[in-house]
Amino acid sequence: MFSYRHAFHAGSHADILKHLTLIHLVEYLQEKPGALTIVDTHAGAGIYSLIDGFATVSKEADEGIYRLAKFTADQLATGKPMSAGISNYLECIRNENGDGDISVYPGSPFILARLLRAQDRLKLFELHPKEIDILRHNISELKQAKQIDVYAEDSFARLKGLLPPPSRRGLVLIDPSYEDKQDYRYLETAMEEALQRFATGCYAIWYPVLSRRESAALPDHLKKIAANHKRSWLHAELRVENAPKERRLQASGMFIINPPWTLEKHLAESLPILVKALGQDNRAEFLLKSFEA
Ligand code: SAM
């Protein structure tokens, strides 16, 4: 337990799928002026260097954010359009880097913090003894810090206590490391409890696509949970390669409960481009399915 450090994976294809989706969810929910409460149940350190430390060991950003940035620049240079969703996502990443090249990658806490309006609140959970200190320090430097609560607590146990939020408008990102295979079971229980207390919330769950039984079964389990509560869902996966050895993560997915009606179109535009930009072999592909309750 606690060997996972997100810095190894910052800016990977999995982060791209997750954060591209997340930005769209926040921006859609902010179309109404009412206060929005956002819960990030598995926060990590908040922001990561891509030019020193763990990220330089794994180099996952080379096949992720750097590849996407280059693909986009090449497209634009030849007069080809880029999807608005990908351009918007890249702008969020670039904004964190000032005028220079991309050298830092914002994790979900920073992406979310930057999007907060004055009336919104962000609640971050992190259990790792080192990550929580780094996260607290990073968040304290932000001008939005007063709108953000950081908890060194087990979010699976605490989530239900935060729901429904006072404004009854809420987005919950659930992004475990799945280091402990029990995380799948904890997540399913937390989702059941969350929907009992706050059925209309928007829930975004990230998961790795692995051959492990719990991972393969997760989307179907989430569909059943959504059906039990008569909720709509959207399911997206991005596979960048199908190499024979599982040395690194080849595919990941997002499962959204109560997705905005705009999300499917947004992902239908962006996912084929991500397959082209990030695909490593001819088995790169995406999946996009939804169900309206
Ligand atoms: N959401 C982050 C992002 O997109 O930038 C990445 C988070 S990383 C995949 C998962 C984090 O959850 C790790 O830093 C891990 O220490 C933390 N964690 C694991 N179990 C947890 C729990 N039960 N409650 C809160 N945090 C937990």
Side-chain angles (χ1 to χ4, degrees):
M1 188 62 180
F2 292 135
S3 57
Y4 183 94
R5 305 295 294 271
H6 194 68
F8 283 107
H9 310 291
S12 65
H13 62 85
D15 264 3
I16 293 174
L17 173 66
K18 174 181 35 178
H19 296 150
L20 179 98
T21 307
L22 189 62
I23 291 166
H24 183 79
L25 295 176
V26 175
E27 292 186 342
Y28 174 84
L29 290 166
Q30 288 178 332
E31 283 176 11
K32 288 195 180 148
L36 180 64
T37 298
I38 307 175
V39 184
D40 184 351
T41 60
H42 295 74
I47 188 160
Y48 307 93
S49 169
L50 297 180
I51 55 170
D52 54 33
F54 296 147
T56 60
V57 177
S58 58
K59 295 191 166 53
E60 292 193 20
D62 287 0
E63 303 303 336
I65 185 66
Y66 286 129
R67 206 167 154 141
L68 181 61
K70 179 170 184 324
F71 180 88
T72 305
D74 291 348
Q75 289 285 107
L76 295 175
T78 53
K80 294 185 189 132
M82 183 43 57
S83 89
I86 292 180
S87 301
N88 191 23
Y89 159 77
L90 283 173
E91 199 181 319
C92 286
I93 307 306
R94 286 226 169 80
N95 285 345
E96 219 54 69
N97 285 278
D99 294 333
D101 294 340
I102 296 174
S103 61
V104 296
Y105 187 85
S108 50
F110 264 56
I111 290 176
L112 292 167
R114 300 290 192 200
L115 292 170
L116 293 176
R117 302 164 300 174
Q119 64 270 42
D120 300 332
R121 294 291 174 270
L122 174 60
K123 297 182 182 297
L124 304 171
F125 285 87
E126 177 52 52
L127 263 187
H128 193 291
K130 290 209 174 89
E131 297 290 74
I132 184 72
D133 288 346
I134 304 170
L135 177 68
R136 283 211 161 104
H137 170 77
N138 286 337
I139 293 296
S140 72
E141 310 255 287
L142 290 174
K143 77 172 190 322
Q144 297 86 351
K146 288 208 170 76
Q147 294 167 253
I148 304 173
D149 295 317
V150 182
Y151 305 93
E153 292 175 44
D154 175 4
S155 58
F156 286 131
R158 276 295 311 277
L159 178 61
K160 61 177 184 285
L162 293 176
L163 302 177
S167 63
R168 298 209 157 247
R169 303 194 64 243
L171 167 64
V172 180
L173 170 67
I174 307 184
D175 179 25
S177 48
Y178 301 94
E179 207 182 349
D180 176 356
K181 74 173 184 195
Q182 301 295 339
D183 276 356
Y184 295 93
R185 194 167 55 79
Y186 297 150
L187 186 155
E188 289 165 24
T189 306
M191 267 317 307
E192 264 295 347
E193 293 171 345
L195 285 170
Q196 273 164 25
R197 296 181 67 96
F198 183 39
T200 56
C202 179
Y203 298 89
I205 297 141
W206 178 89
Y207 66 93
V209 176
L210 303 169
S211 48
R212 163 185 259 191
R213 188 170 45 84
E214 293 82 359
S215 162
L218 183 66
D220 282 344
H221 288 182
L222 291 171
K223 284 174 199 169
K224 277 195 195 126
I225 293 171
N228 288 344
H229 293 267
K230 299 187 173 52
R231 297 288 112 198
S232 302
W233 53 258
L234 180 147
H235 179 203
E237 283 185 1
L238 173 65
R239 169 171 295 281
V240 296
E241 63 177 338
N242 198 29
K245 280 191 201 136
E246 288 206 6
R247 276 179 303 108
R248 57 185 175 187
L249 188 64
Q250 298 149 339
S252 71
M254 287 295 288
F255 195 92
I256 320 298
I257 296 179
N258 296 323
W261 67 274
T262 50
L263 182 62
E264 187 154 15
K265 179 170 176 284
H266 170 79
L267 289 175
E269 280 168 13
S270 298
L271 284 168
I273 301 174
L274 293 182
V275 167
K276 255 196 205 165
L278 306 177
Q280 309 258 337
D281 61 26
N282 60 8
R283 298 288 301 276
E285 61 186 1
F286 71 90
L287 170 152
L288 184 58
K289 286 188 178 158
S290 65
F291 170 79
E292 203 165 323

